[in-house]
Amino acid sequence: MNKEIFSEIPMRTWNWLGVNEAVVDRDLLVESQNLDIKIEAGHQEKMLVEYRKESCGTVNINIGENAVLKLTQLQLMPQNCNHVNEINVVLEKKAKLQLVAVETGAKSFASKVNIILKGDKSQADVSLLYFGDGDRSLDMNYVLEFQGRKTVGNLEVYGGLMGESQKIFRGTLDFKQGAKQAKGYEKENVVVLSSGVRNRSVPIMLSGEDDVVGNHAVSSGKINEDKLHYLMSRGLSPAEARKLVLEAAFNPVLELIDDEALRQEIDSYIKERLENE
Amino acid sequence: MEKLLNIKNLQVTVADNEAEDASKEILKGIDLQVNKGEIHVVLGPNGSGKSTLMNAIMGHPKYEIAGGSLEFEGEDLTELKTFERARKGIFLSFQTPEEIPGITVENMIRTAKQAVTGENIKVIKFRRELKAAMKELQMDESYAQRYMNVGFSGGEKKRNEILQMLMLQPKLALLDETDSGLDVDAIQIVSNGVKKFHNEDNACLIITHNTRILKQLNVDKVHVMMQGKFVAEGGPELIEKIDKEGFGFLQGAE
Amino acid sequence: MAQEKTYIEDIERTLYDIKNVDKSKYKSQSGLTEDIIRDISARKNDPDWMLEFRLKSLEVYNQLSLPNWGPDLSELNMDEIVTYVQPDAKMTGSWDEVPEDIKDTFDRLGIPEAEQTSLAGVGAQYDSEVVYHSIQEDLVKQGVIYTDMETALHEHEEIVRDHFMKLVPPKDHKFAALHGAVWSGGSFVYVPEGVHVEIPLQSYFRLNAAGAGQFEHTLIIVEKNASLHFIEGCSAPKYNVTNLHAGCVELFVNDGARLRYSTIENWSRNMMNLNTKRAVVGKDGVIEWVSGSFGSHVSMLYPCSVLKGENAKCEFTGVTFASKGQNLDTGASVIHCAPHTSANISTRTISKAGGKATYRSAVKVTKNAPYAKCSVNCESLMLDDISRSDTLPTMDIEGDEADIGHEATIGRISDEAIFYLMSRGISEDEARSMIVRGFVEPIAKELPLEYAVEMNNLVNIELEGTMG
């Protein structure tokens, strides 16, 4: 089959780790649809992108001065599909982006998000939820590039993995020289539910500017036993308790989804998978 | 009475974070005279400029003096750097003390004491004094070897501030909400520390929201600050009035 | 204040920069050919298997390409590097017999003095060969072996053969292969079961010849329930040509054993330091790395710990200081291969004056390592806006019983912290200096005293706070 490099991390590392690039079927890239969007200066917009059927896509966005965009992207592909998606955003002065991304579908997917905080005081808040089960493969590459002064970028990632799923999450905060007083924060919390999982995380921080504050943190572990115990002492079955704990873990992202029906859909999608475990 | 701090028509601005190249006036003409042996209290709602006053006296680079004068023992302070002011005998107990990893409490205070006194401080004698002061403040001795404020609770940080005050023996102590966030017992301990520190040769300028800390101190003067100005001044009786009625009765004074 | 820059004085290098006249007895031709390898091997009187090993390594070397990640190595021209420089001196157990100029070098570095005061044994390598080795009598009686690799190869051939480049095979990467082909010198330590070497052993490596490579091999075996602290120091005078250091360190920490391996690397700024260090740790064993990287032009150094036995532990503490003209790519890797293994990685990096500091790490938890625990903490301090600081950790975790945490921060000295210290009467420069020293303190306190002093000197702040 024809393979092609879809995404790469901004700085390479040991090849044996297998995280330097994501390789996907060329066909997927050929089929990919482009969407170009410009948010005019001062405007406030909300957008929803859903991937449900065999489709791949790229969304290119420019957010004008003082404009605000809330972009929600849901990937709820059927379990037998392969999928790629890409988001490229450039933020002008004082522009704001809130990106809520949910990656719960497809047999195998690769996504990449590239956000450029170009204008001074622009801000991007990214919340990502991913969930893997069965023998699914999840590949994500998120880059926040700080160019402007006093830019702010937050990347919060909540993940759950079970079955034999494999995941790579790469998250980069890249402070360019001149991005004075920029602030970047990245965190990834992964809850691992079964022993067959392979979980790879690459939290990268690059800096050519000293006048910045950058933090990243990753934690990966089992579901919190104390919480489970507490819930079970209130009469919940282990499965119910796990569902509840995981739901709580995902809530920071779920509650950002405005559409109640969609939120319910994702919630029950995950619950269903937990039950079939 | 000997003048210690003498402030006249002090105006202070701070660089405005939102607007480019603009600065915001916070203090709009403050007059304040603190003499040796006195305790002054500054009361006022949040955001009225109390902390700005403290930081301006200490010389925080973020705050710019736009007008008026600021003298300590007859000497102009405005051109002096923060550490030079400290060496003159001014001490600020921070509202939120900084955490400084890698520097132990003991090392920090000893270095500061050497800097302030200009003398080489003997380790053994210093340790003895430090231990005694820590005991006074009910701080565990092990804290001397911990890194400055790293992993300290709010109350421990405040006690560490008072510890430094006791060890450095400044002429003028500025206490910026040293009692906030403390429980009743801790307030008592901090208050004892201030009481022990204060004598006729030094002075305290205290910002507080909680008048409990003042109970066992003989307050000489009370200043009420609102929107960058002193809107009322008086004796300790003012504390009681504000305790009962809040700042409401002063609204008209603006 | 926001505009002010911190100037930190570069490490005082004069001590290291005194170069001796190159009086070497023999130098191999520059470049790398089978003839050169045969020649080195013959001169070293290798057993046949070692010659074969060298030639095989050369083959691997020729097959492998340079890494496609990490710092740019294009400045390195192997055809110009002299791989073997034999000093005009025999290995001896007495400083009096070491030739005057070589002895002077080590005197200036304080090695003989340290030997008397705080070390149980010393090895000193000059260019490609070890010129001095000694060990305290009572350790010898307990069966401790501390000698140069060449002697070990002849006197303890079986042990060497069983361990040599088994942990770092030549095919690992190009410079491991190079090392396998041209290695020379280095230290061999064997600590028998249950023996505790209370006072550290130290090997010091000095590269004097210009345009040369140093390829020393360190092989340490700590048997069951034994313990050792080993210190490695490195330096070289500055030349205008590129020198290469491609050493290899293999540490075998058996069940219940404990090994602390401390290094302060202070190569001159023309050195390409491409060093490979690896430890394998048995059940209940502990490896502790303390690693300071200050010198060299380019470094790639990531000590690796293979936690092979149940409950094996790794503690890694590292500090890297990159200044003008330096690209220091350092870090660590840990491979958890058994249940209940644990690792702590804590690093500090500082960059200034255009220096590049990269923290790179890999934490791998295999399926066979349930209940593995690993926590990584790395902090980077940048002292100006012309330098670079990059952090690139990777975690690869299999199974659901691992507990892995990673934290990193990047930034500069906080203005608020400076103000706080200044409000206590401490001058601005002293405040900056205190904060930087405080920043590396967690590492300094793990170092042997003389190294801690050396490091503090290094982090001396110049009293200069000019408007930038």
Side-chain angles (χ1 to χ4, degrees), chain A residues 144 146 151-155 173 175 182-186 205 212-216:
Chain A
L144 265 65
F146 300 78
T151 43
V152 176
N154 295 308
L155 178 51
L173 304 177
F175 298 98
K183 278 186 192 163
Y185 174 71
E186 173 186 348
M205 200 148 55
V212 299
V213 180
N215 288 291
H216 69 208

PDB file of all heavy atoms in Angstrom, chain A residues 144 146 151-155 173 175 182-186 205 212-216:
ATOM      1  N   LEU A 144       1.487  24.139  19.312  1.00  0.00           N
ATOM      2  CA  LEU A 144       1.138  25.539  19.562  1.00  0.00           C
ATOM      3  C   LEU A 144       2.405  26.362  19.401  1.00  0.00           C
ATOM      4  O   LEU A 144       3.372  26.159  20.135  1.00  0.00           O
ATOM      5  CB  LEU A 144       0.606  25.722  20.989  1.00  0.00           C
ATOM      6  CG  LEU A 144      -0.909  25.676  21.186  1.00  0.00           C
ATOM      7  CD1 LEU A 144      -1.426  24.294  20.860  1.00  0.00           C
ATOM      8  CD2 LEU A 144      -1.276  26.048  22.607  1.00  0.00           C
ATOM      9  N   PHE A 146       4.172  29.953  19.540  1.00  0.00           N
ATOM     10  CA  PHE A 146       4.016  31.293  20.105  1.00  0.00           C
ATOM     11  C   PHE A 146       4.930  32.252  19.366  1.00  0.00           C
ATOM     12  O   PHE A 146       6.145  32.134  19.443  1.00  0.00           O
ATOM     13  CB  PHE A 146       4.391  31.287  21.591  1.00  0.00           C
ATOM     14  CG  PHE A 146       3.541  30.364  22.425  1.00  0.00           C
ATOM     15  CD1 PHE A 146       3.763  28.998  22.419  1.00  0.00           C
ATOM     16  CD2 PHE A 146       2.526  30.866  23.225  1.00  0.00           C
ATOM     17  CE1 PHE A 146       2.987  28.140  23.187  1.00  0.00           C
ATOM     18  CE2 PHE A 146       1.742  30.022  24.002  1.00  0.00           C
ATOM     19  CZ  PHE A 146       1.968  28.659  23.973  1.00  0.00           C
ATOM     20  N   THR A 151       1.348  36.267  24.236  1.00  0.00           N
ATOM     21  CA  THR A 151       0.406  35.258  23.764  1.00  0.00           C
ATOM     22  C   THR A 151       0.223  34.195  24.849  1.00  0.00           C
ATOM     23  O   THR A 151       1.100  33.983  25.679  1.00  0.00           O
ATOM     24  CB  THR A 151       0.920  34.599  22.474  1.00  0.00           C
ATOM     25  OG1 THR A 151       2.313  34.326  22.628  1.00  0.00           O
ATOM     26  CG2 THR A 151       0.746  35.530  21.293  1.00  0.00           C
ATOM     27  N   VAL A 152      -0.945  33.558  24.806  1.00  0.00           N
ATOM     28  CA  VAL A 152      -1.258  32.546  25.812  1.00  0.00           C
ATOM     29  C   VAL A 152      -1.751  31.292  25.099  1.00  0.00           C
ATOM     30  O   VAL A 152      -2.611  31.379  24.220  1.00  0.00           O
ATOM     31  CB  VAL A 152      -2.359  33.057  26.777  1.00  0.00           C
ATOM     32  CG1 VAL A 152      -2.745  31.969  27.771  1.00  0.00           C
ATOM     33  CG2 VAL A 152      -1.885  34.310  27.516  1.00  0.00           C
ATOM     34  N   GLY A 153      -1.213  30.167  25.458  1.00  0.00           N
ATOM     35  CA  GLY A 153      -1.677  28.922  24.859  1.00  0.00           C
ATOM     36  C   GLY A 153      -1.805  27.828  25.905  1.00  0.00           C
ATOM     37  O   GLY A 153      -0.876  27.597  26.687  1.00  0.00           O
ATOM     38  N   ASN A 154      -2.966  27.207  25.933  1.00  0.00           N
ATOM     39  CA  ASN A 154      -3.184  26.106  26.878  1.00  0.00           C
ATOM     40  C   ASN A 154      -3.632  24.871  26.121  1.00  0.00           C
ATOM     41  O   ASN A 154      -4.490  24.953  25.253  1.00  0.00           O
ATOM     42  CB  ASN A 154      -4.264  26.481  27.901  1.00  0.00           C
ATOM     43  CG  ASN A 154      -3.809  27.632  28.774  1.00  0.00           C
ATOM     44  OD1 ASN A 154      -2.731  27.583  29.360  1.00  0.00           O
ATOM     45  ND2 ASN A 154      -4.621  28.680  28.837  1.00  0.00           N
ATOM     46  N   LEU A 155      -3.056  23.773  26.499  1.00  0.00           N
ATOM     47  CA  LEU A 155      -3.370  22.514  25.837  1.00  0.00           C
ATOM     48  C   LEU A 155      -3.684  21.499  26.928  1.00  0.00           C
ATOM     49  O   LEU A 155      -2.801  21.104  27.689  1.00  0.00           O
ATOM     50  CB  LEU A 155      -2.147  22.086  25.007  1.00  0.00           C
ATOM     51  CG  LEU A 155      -2.170  20.779  24.237  1.00  0.00           C
ATOM     52  CD1 LEU A 155      -3.406  20.666  23.373  1.00  0.00           C
ATOM     53  CD2 LEU A 155      -0.922  20.684  23.364  1.00  0.00           C
ATOM     54  N   LEU A 173       4.791  22.861  22.726  1.00  0.00           N
ATOM     55  CA  LEU A 173       4.724  24.300  22.938  1.00  0.00           C
ATOM     56  C   LEU A 173       6.021  24.855  22.365  1.00  0.00           C
ATOM     57  O   LEU A 173       7.095  24.492  22.818  1.00  0.00           O
ATOM     58  CB  LEU A 173       4.643  24.644  24.432  1.00  0.00           C
ATOM     59  CG  LEU A 173       3.508  24.008  25.238  1.00  0.00           C
ATOM     60  CD1 LEU A 173       3.624  24.402  26.712  1.00  0.00           C
ATOM     61  CD2 LEU A 173       2.156  24.434  24.693  1.00  0.00           C
ATOM     62  N   PHE A 175       8.028  28.182  21.714  1.00  0.00           N
ATOM     63  CA  PHE A 175       8.154  29.619  21.944  1.00  0.00           C
ATOM     64  C   PHE A 175       9.219  30.180  21.013  1.00  0.00           C
ATOM     65  O   PHE A 175      10.401  29.867  21.163  1.00  0.00           O
ATOM     66  CB  PHE A 175       8.563  29.907  23.390  1.00  0.00           C
ATOM     67  CG  PHE A 175       7.559  29.449  24.403  1.00  0.00           C
ATOM     68  CD1 PHE A 175       7.727  28.237  25.059  1.00  0.00           C
ATOM     69  CD2 PHE A 175       6.453  30.226  24.709  1.00  0.00           C
ATOM     70  CE1 PHE A 175       6.802  27.810  26.007  1.00  0.00           C
ATOM     71  CE2 PHE A 175       5.527  29.813  25.655  1.00  0.00           C
ATOM     72  CZ  PHE A 175       5.697  28.603  26.305  1.00  0.00           C
ATOM     73  N   ALA A 182       5.101  35.425  26.806  1.00  0.00           N
ATOM     74  CA  ALA A 182       4.137  34.393  26.412  1.00  0.00           C
ATOM     75  C   ALA A 182       4.022  33.377  27.544  1.00  0.00           C
ATOM     76  O   ALA A 182       4.954  33.179  28.318  1.00  0.00           O
ATOM     77  CB  ALA A 182       4.606  33.707  25.136  1.00  0.00           C
ATOM     78  N   LYS A 183       2.840  32.772  27.596  1.00  0.00           N
ATOM     79  CA  LYS A 183       2.621  31.746  28.612  1.00  0.00           C
ATOM     80  C   LYS A 183       2.041  30.511  27.954  1.00  0.00           C
ATOM     81  O   LYS A 183       1.061  30.607  27.220  1.00  0.00           O
ATOM     82  CB  LYS A 183       1.615  32.235  29.657  1.00  0.00           C
ATOM     83  CG  LYS A 183       2.233  33.106  30.707  1.00  0.00           C
ATOM     84  CD  LYS A 183       1.219  33.435  31.774  1.00  0.00           C
ATOM     85  CE  LYS A 183       1.798  34.541  32.642  1.00  0.00           C
ATOM     86  NZ  LYS A 183       0.775  35.200  33.424  1.00  0.00           N
ATOM     87  N   GLY A 184       2.649  29.377  28.230  1.00  0.00           N
ATOM     88  CA  GLY A 184       2.143  28.146  27.650  1.00  0.00           C
ATOM     89  C   GLY A 184       2.009  27.069  28.702  1.00  0.00           C
ATOM     90  O   GLY A 184       2.836  26.956  29.610  1.00  0.00           O
ATOM     91  N   TYR A 185       0.946  26.308  28.561  1.00  0.00           N
ATOM     92  CA  TYR A 185       0.707  25.257  29.542  1.00  0.00           C
ATOM     93  C   TYR A 185       0.183  24.036  28.809  1.00  0.00           C
ATOM     94  O   TYR A 185      -0.676  24.144  27.938  1.00  0.00           O
ATOM     95  CB  TYR A 185      -0.312  25.757  30.569  1.00  0.00           C
ATOM     96  CG  TYR A 185      -0.758  24.710  31.549  1.00  0.00           C
ATOM     97  CD1 TYR A 185       0.125  24.255  32.535  1.00  0.00           C
ATOM     98  CD2 TYR A 185      -2.041  24.170  31.492  1.00  0.00           C
ATOM     99  CE1 TYR A 185      -0.275  23.288  33.437  1.00  0.00           C
ATOM    100  CE2 TYR A 185      -2.449  23.204  32.397  1.00  0.00           C
ATOM    101  CZ  TYR A 185      -1.564  22.769  33.360  1.00  0.00           C
ATOM    102  OH  TYR A 185      -1.959  21.802  34.255  1.00  0.00           O
ATOM    103  N   GLU A 186       0.702  22.897  29.152  1.00  0.00           N
ATOM    104  CA  GLU A 186       0.239  21.667  28.522  1.00  0.00           C
ATOM    105  C   GLU A 186       0.098  20.591  29.574  1.00  0.00           C
ATOM    106  O   GLU A 186       0.978  20.419  30.420  1.00  0.00           O
ATOM    107  CB  GLU A 186       1.271  21.212  27.478  1.00  0.00           C
ATOM    108  CG  GLU A 186       0.959  19.842  26.886  1.00  0.00           C
ATOM    109  CD  GLU A 186       2.056  19.325  25.949  1.00  0.00           C
ATOM    110  OE1 GLU A 186       2.940  20.118  25.578  1.00  0.00           O
ATOM    111  OE2 GLU A 186       2.022  18.141  25.614  1.00  0.00           O
ATOM    112  N   MET A 205       8.693  20.890  24.625  1.00  0.00           N
ATOM    113  CA  MET A 205       8.700  22.331  24.871  1.00  0.00           C
ATOM    114  C   MET A 205       9.964  22.895  24.241  1.00  0.00           C
ATOM    115  O   MET A 205      11.060  22.468  24.576  1.00  0.00           O
ATOM    116  CB  MET A 205       8.676  22.576  26.382  1.00  0.00           C
ATOM    117  CG  MET A 205       8.211  23.942  26.766  1.00  0.00           C
ATOM    118  SD  MET A 205       7.344  23.935  28.353  1.00  0.00           S
ATOM    119  CE  MET A 205       8.542  23.194  29.418  1.00  0.00           C
ATOM    120  N   VAL A 212       9.505  33.900  28.940  1.00  0.00           N
ATOM    121  CA  VAL A 212       8.276  33.128  28.769  1.00  0.00           C
ATOM    122  C   VAL A 212       8.083  32.256  30.004  1.00  0.00           C
ATOM    123  O   VAL A 212       9.003  32.055  30.787  1.00  0.00           O
ATOM    124  CB  VAL A 212       8.342  32.194  27.525  1.00  0.00           C
ATOM    125  CG1 VAL A 212       8.521  32.995  26.256  1.00  0.00           C
ATOM    126  CG2 VAL A 212       9.444  31.159  27.671  1.00  0.00           C
ATOM    127  N   VAL A 213       6.867  31.778  30.154  1.00  0.00           N
ATOM    128  CA  VAL A 213       6.621  30.791  31.190  1.00  0.00           C
ATOM    129  C   VAL A 213       6.036  29.574  30.505  1.00  0.00           C
ATOM    130  O   VAL A 213       4.988  29.657  29.872  1.00  0.00           O
ATOM    131  CB  VAL A 213       5.619  31.325  32.239  1.00  0.00           C
ATOM    132  CG1 VAL A 213       5.366  30.275  33.307  1.00  0.00           C
ATOM    133  CG2 VAL A 213       6.144  32.610  32.867  1.00  0.00           C
ATOM    134  N   GLY A 214       6.732  28.476  30.597  1.00  0.00           N
ATOM    135  CA  GLY A 214       6.235  27.255  29.970  1.00  0.00           C
ATOM    136  C   GLY A 214       6.183  26.122  30.978  1.00  0.00           C
ATOM    137  O   GLY A 214       7.105  25.942  31.759  1.00  0.00           O
ATOM    138  N   ASN A 215       5.088  25.389  30.962  1.00  0.00           N
ATOM    139  CA  ASN A 215       4.955  24.237  31.856  1.00  0.00           C
ATOM    140  C   ASN A 215       4.317  23.092  31.100  1.00  0.00           C
ATOM    141  O   ASN A 215       3.380  23.314  30.350  1.00  0.00           O
ATOM    142  CB  ASN A 215       4.017  24.555  33.030  1.00  0.00           C
ATOM    143  CG  ASN A 215       4.660  25.506  34.007  1.00  0.00           C
ATOM    144  OD1 ASN A 215       5.604  25.143  34.707  1.00  0.00           O
ATOM    145  ND2 ASN A 215       4.179  26.734  34.030  1.00  0.00           N
ATOM    146  N   HIS A 216       4.799  21.906  31.324  1.00  0.00           N
ATOM    147  CA  HIS A 216       3.999  20.776  30.859  1.00  0.00           C
ATOM    148  C   HIS A 216       4.060  19.633  31.854  1.00  0.00           C
ATOM    149  O   HIS A 216       4.984  19.501  32.635  1.00  0.00           O
ATOM    150  CB  HIS A 216       4.350  20.340  29.435  1.00  0.00           C
ATOM    151  CG  HIS A 216       5.693  19.716  29.268  1.00  0.00           C
ATOM    152  ND1 HIS A 216       6.387  19.788  28.091  1.00  0.00           N
ATOM    153  CD2 HIS A 216       6.465  19.007  30.108  1.00  0.00           C
ATOM    154  CE1 HIS A 216       7.523  19.149  28.219  1.00  0.00           C
ATOM    155  NE2 HIS A 216       7.602  18.665  29.420  1.00  0.00           N
TER     156      HIS A 216
END
